[in-house]
Amino acid sequence: MSTIPSPGPTAVPAPLSAGEPDAATLARSAEQTAGRLLAPAAPHRLTDVVPAPQQVHPDPTADWTLPAEAVVVASADPAALAVAEQLAQLLRPATGYPLPVTDATTPEPAGGIALVLDDSADLGAEGYRLDIATDGVRVTAATAPGLFYGVQTLRQLLPATIESPSQVTERWALPGGTITDAPRFPYRGAMLDVARHFFAVEDVLRVVDHLARYKLNHLHLHLTDDQGWRITVDSWPKLTTVGGTTEVDGGPGGHYTTADYQRIVSYAAARHITVVPEIDLPGHTNSALVAYPELAPDKIAPPPYTGTEVGFSYVDPADERTYDFIADVLGEVAALTPGPWLHIGGDEAFKVKGEVYTGFVERVQRIVADLGKTVVGWHQLAPAAHLDGRVLQWWGTNGEDPTTADAVRRGARLIVSPGNHAYLDMKYAPDTPIGHDWAGLIDVRKAYDWDPGTHVAGVPTEAVLGVEAPLWTESVTSLADIELLLLPRLPAIAELGWSPRASHDWAGFRDRLAGQGPRWTTAGITFHRAPEIPWPTAPTIPAQRNLPQTDTATP
Ligand code: NGO
């Protein structure tokens, strides 16, 4: 058996949560919400945005303040109106303004905010232009995702108090000028391992909110592993009724019903995030073998597994029944998944070697293609034959990987997730209370200072589909744990996926990232106060304990 190295030195609990306000802060916030204490804030600078926009043209003569009677007007299109309603829902709690949403054939800001769908705007599938002028704000895009990303930028340019779940007296000032923006890579993702520990739907929705803030557009869910099977499959019900009842360290586990999964998918879709479901094969399958011993090579049910070793389990590649199982499972998951991708794992199947492994992968790849989906798999898939569109997710720690480079030459595209830069389950420092260190420690600079476009030798930037930050959860047991490891590193990976390489600059990023801290604090989000980031020390306003789990109640 291979083992993930132990987490290292004794864990020391550190005061890492910024999301829990103390009594003084709560008292102060009560005063602030009553309308006292607040001096008019200077507007943020137009450059204070994470991820860094492509082009920024400040116009200090055009600063603008949101008036109480502002209207949000959008193009008469359901998707544009949905973004307009999301914007209004973001702004209503803290401002207390009604912010009605209306539509118009040619939306004009007219002292408020206009979201304009314009096919002729040369902004690409996800780009937007944000104009802040003396007559109001206009976001222009060719698509609803573009409008949505423009709204995320607009949100960050308002004072941090906009994150307050209750009304604040504030001058809602915005810096004048124009931002023109579009992503560097089409795939910008994060992964949540819900198999090692199970997380409730509400927790996953909150992770979706974090992705949306930083313009990530894919949520990869690692749905199955040795320790638990987390998605209902009607044709193989014991996968969840038996295989879903375990998790690392003996907790109760759990699983998503079809309705749960659909709720996650549609909540993500409303935020222009595509869910990428992973069924890990042929290894990492102990929970399936416990439920259905006929899939095991010796046809004997193994004991349930709640440890953290890897590489010991596998479904029998020599039995036709295994392929019936895979076709059923992938068929049901594909039917519930509107996005184009099916992730088939493929990592650490140490006991399925050579041609047996590649033969297995080639059959599974064909099953995926027959379902009309595109194969994604960990880069161990590389030696198997190429199939149109195939995507490998590279998770190595050394950018020299001739086998993966060869698969790319045969046509594969790459999602880059280097274990020693993008794995958010790695500790920040030796005293981080949770996490791994097998790929090294990853402080914020390590998460930021690399280039997905050139990271793997022999893989040209054009073959890089994008970047993804995986969060494995062997030691992660709560939403607060998730947030502690995600923030502030997720915005670093998001910037690598979105921003032009020419804007890469650690000093500038560090300062912009620091500005996110008060926003998280105000919204009640836990984060790691990384010592290399100059977090503002000024009091932040207000935080409440009874926060909604997610940004909005929709859909
Ligand atoms: C590896 C392994 C996972 C572990 C993870 C922990 C991949 C692709 N397979 O990454 O099973 O959970 O490391 O960091």
Side-chain angles (χ1 to χ4, degrees):
M1 282 190 189
S2 294
T3 311
I4 296 170
S6 84
T10 313
V12 183
L16 293 161
S17 164
E20 287 295 308
D22 58 20
T25 309
L26 286 171
R28 202 166 49 235
S29 66
E31 282 183 51
Q32 284 159 336
T33 44
R36 278 169 274 155
L37 277 186
L38 288 168
H44 282 263
R45 287 171 308 173
L46 204 62
T47 46
D48 287 342
V49 178
V50 180
Q54 211 175 58
Q55 289 174 36
V56 181
H57 297 291
D59 178 357
T61 67
D63 292 355
W64 180 75
T65 299
L66 181 74
E69 64 283 1
V71 170
V72 181
V73 57
S75 295
D77 170 283
L81 283 162
V83 179
E85 187 50 47
Q86 286 169 319
L87 170 62
Q89 285 180 15
L90 285 176
L91 304 184
R92 282 180 194 133
T95 62
Y97 299 165
L99 297 169
V101 172
T102 65
D103 62 7
T105 315
T106 316
E108 289 296 334
I113 303 174
L115 303 188
V116 186
L117 268 188
D118 181 357
D119 283 347
S120 64
D122 187 20
L123 295 162
E126 296 185 293
Y128 66 91
R129 198 178 65 240
L130 171 64
D131 296 296
I132 301 170
T134 45
D135 67 338
V137 171
R138 180 187 279 104
V139 184
T140 310
T143 64
L147 291 180
F148 185 79
Y149 298 135
V151 161
Q152 300 313 314
T153 296
L154 172 59
R155 179 185 192 183
Q156 288 189 23
L157 292 170
L158 283 161
T161 44
I162 197 65
E163 301 291 338
S164 168
S166 59
Q167 193 175 337
V168 179
T169 303
E170 176 73 272
R171 189 164 73 87
W172 302 108
L174 283 162
T178 297
I179 290 178
T180 311
D181 202 7
R184 181 181 181 200
F185 293 109
Y187 187 107
R188 307 174 302 280
M191 187 204 83
L192 183 64
D193 168 10
V194 294
R196 271 47 181 276
H197 281 101
F198 179 68
F199 297 94
V201 172
E202 289 296 333
D203 295 344
V204 180
L205 302 190
R206 174 127 159 162
V207 169
V208 168
D209 290 340
H210 299 337
L211 268 56
R213 259 175 206 274
Y214 298 106
K215 304 186 176 83
L216 295 167
N217 62 358
H218 287 84
L219 172 68
H220 168 185
L221 287 176
H222 183 75
L223 289 166
T224 65
D225 214 303
D226 292 318
Q227 298 87 347
W229 186 285
R230 307 299 180 207
I231 184 162
T232 301
V233 178
D234 288 337
S235 52
W236 296 74
K238 287 193 284 183
L239 288 171
T240 47
T241 58
V242 175
T245 59
T246 44
E247 63 185 352
V248 166
D249 288 340
H255 68 272
Y256 303 123
T257 63
T258 299
D260 289 339
Y261 181 73
Q262 285 171 324
R263 190 167 159 226
I264 294 169
V265 166
S266 60
Y267 187 91
R271 286 146 188 83
H272 304 285
I273 291 171
T274 302
V275 170
V276 182
E278 179 184 351
I279 304 296
D280 202 348
L281 297 163
H284 289 275
T285 40
N286 199 75
S287 61
L289 306 183
V290 174
Y292 291 102
E294 68 201 85
L295 301 172
D298 57 6
K299 312 299 170 200
I300 296 170
Y305 187 68
T306 59
T308 59
E309 294 177 349
V310 296
F312 55 92
S313 62
Y314 61 104
V315 289
D316 185 356
D319 192 331
E320 281 305 304
R321 189 82 181 120
T322 295
Y323 300 95
D324 295 341
F325 162 78
I326 292 170
D328 289 344
V329 168
L330 294 182
E332 289 196 31
V333 173
L336 296 173
T337 304
W341 320 105
L342 272 190
H343 198 304
I344 57 171
D347 57 322
E348 299 171 323
F350 297 137
K351 298 200 169 166
V352 186
K353 300 180 202 295
E355 287 176 7
V356 178
Y357 177 82
T358 52
F360 173 89
V361 168
E362 286 161 15
R363 276 192 76 169
V364 178
Q365 289 186 158
R366 280 196 299 275
I367 293 173
V368 173
D370 288 346
L371 289 165
K373 298 291 185 186
T374 300
V375 171
V376 189
W378 300 108
H379 72 261
Q380 280 72 25
L381 257 50
H386 181 64
L387 193 84
D388 262 0
R390 173 166 96 124
V391 175
L392 304 179
Q393 182 169 8
W394 190 82
W395 61 283
T397 53
N398 163 4
E400 296 290 329
D401 182 348
T403 312
T404 296
D406 183 55
V408 167
R409 271 190 291 279
R410 286 183 282 138
R413 289 169 300 165
L414 219 59
I415 295 169
V416 198
S417 303
N420 55 340
H421 292 283
Y423 263 37
L424 299 185
D425 51 312
M426 293 304 131
K427 290 168 177 274
Y428 293 91
D431 64 355
T432 307
I434 50 172
H436 297 132
D437 61 5
W438 68 260
L441 301 170
I442 303 183
D443 61 15
V444 184
R445 184 161 194 173
K446 183 103 181 167
Y448 178 74
D449 258 348
W450 61 284
D451 180 359
T454 56
H455 192 74
V456 183
V459 173
T461 306
E462 306 76 66
V464 175
L465 195 61
V467 59
E468 184 180 295
L471 178 58
W472 301 95
T473 59
E474 286 92 338
S475 66
V476 175
T477 61
S478 66
L479 177 64
D481 285 355
I482 291 176
E483 290 183 340
L484 175 74
L485 292 174
L486 280 187
L487 299 171
R489 292 181 293 193
L490 185 72
I493 304 297
E495 177 142 328
L496 297 180
W498 181 279
S499 304
R501 189 62 194 169
S503 70
H504 193 86
D505 165 36
W506 165 246
F509 175 71
R510 196 176 46 184
D511 288 347
R512 284 181 290 111
L513 186 62
Q516 301 297 302
R519 291 170 191 277
W520 299 329
T521 303
T522 307
I525 298 167
T526 300
F527 67 100
H528 169 55
R529 283 197 164 265
E532 67 268 44
I533 305 301
W535 306 108
T537 49
T540 52
I541 345 174
Q544 283 197 344
R545 285 180 189 277
N546 299 326
L547 293 168
Q549 271 284 303
T550 48
D551 270 357
T552 67
T554 55

